[in-house]
Amino acid sequence: MNTLLSLQEHAIRSAQENRWKDAITANLSILDQEGQDISALNRLGFCYIQTANPKKAKDAYERVVKIDKYNPIAKKYLNLLGLA
């Protein structure tokens, strides 16, 4: 089993290298272990934007807002997606 820290590092490194599908997989693995990990949800939303999947991005950011209604990252991207 991957530790959360190694999964976080993998998710971030994959995104930095534009390997969006790998980043999505890593963030989903984090969420399997910690379903309310705001950082993973924000990263996941961004990955979905990068892979032209605005519906899934919206879902991820809306999950963030349910946990932290003032989260600036989620609110920013929901606004950019025209969904806030």
Side-chain angles (χ1 to χ4, degrees):
M1 175 194 274
N2 289 322
T3 66
L4 285 175
L5 181 58
S6 66
L7 286 169
Q8 291 166 348
E9 291 171 352
H10 181 69
I12 292 166
R13 186 173 43 260
S14 295
Q16 290 171 333
E17 296 172 357
N18 297 323
R19 292 183 294 115
W20 302 113
K21 291 181 181 181
D22 288 343
I24 288 169
T25 300
N27 285 304
L28 289 173
S29 294
I30 293 167
L31 292 168
D32 284 343
Q33 295 181 39
E34 290 288 328
Q36 294 193 350
D37 186 311
I38 290 174
S39 295
L41 286 166
N42 277 326
R43 287 191 302 267
L44 185 62
F46 188 77
C47 291
Y48 284 136
I49 289 171
Q50 296 302 311
T51 57
N53 198 332
K55 168 73 173 93
K56 287 187 176 184
K58 173 185 178 259
D59 292 345
Y61 289 126
E62 285 180 340
R63 282 179 63 188
V64 172
V65 172
K66 285 182 183 177
I67 299 165
D68 175 9
K69 67 181 179 177
Y70 299 111
N71 186 278
I73 295 168
K75 293 186 101 30
K76 171 187 171 181
Y77 284 105
L78 284 171
N79 281 330
L80 288 174
L81 291 166
L83 303 168

